[in-house]
Amino acid sequence: MTTATPELLTVPEVMARLKVGRTKVYDLIRTHRLTSIKVDGCRRIPADSVGDFVRRQIEKGA
């Protein structure tokens, strides 16, 4: 069985999806509200992590 590799987003891609600035994205990473990994020194955020974050925010607002 093969496991699909998650889509990895750059910080600018996450900025565009969430419509927030660079500092906010790094704050979300620092506070563990977004999961991220480093690939050769470059920060990458799984797309699923962004989706999970949005869902949690929606649930909080409900």
Side-chain angles (χ1 to χ4, degrees):
M1 181 172 132
T2 60
T3 304
T5 303
E7 178 187 10
L8 297 176
L9 304 172
T10 64
V11 169
E13 289 170 332
V14 174
M15 289 167 53
R17 287 190 183 199
L18 296 179
K19 296 182 178 27
V20 297
R22 176 183 168 95
T23 302
K24 184 61 177 178
V25 173
Y26 279 105
D27 181 57
L28 293 171
I29 291 168
R30 182 181 56 76
T31 58
H32 305 287
R33 292 163 69 195
L34 279 179
T35 302
S36 72
I37 62 169
K38 276 190 149 184
V39 178
D40 290 333
C42 299
R43 187 65 60 185
R44 295 292 181 262
I45 301 98
D48 291 347
S49 178
V50 177
D52 291 344
F53 170 76
V54 171
R55 278 187 288 283
R56 286 192 308 269
Q57 294 306 112
I58 290 170
E59 289 170 2
K60 281 184 185 178

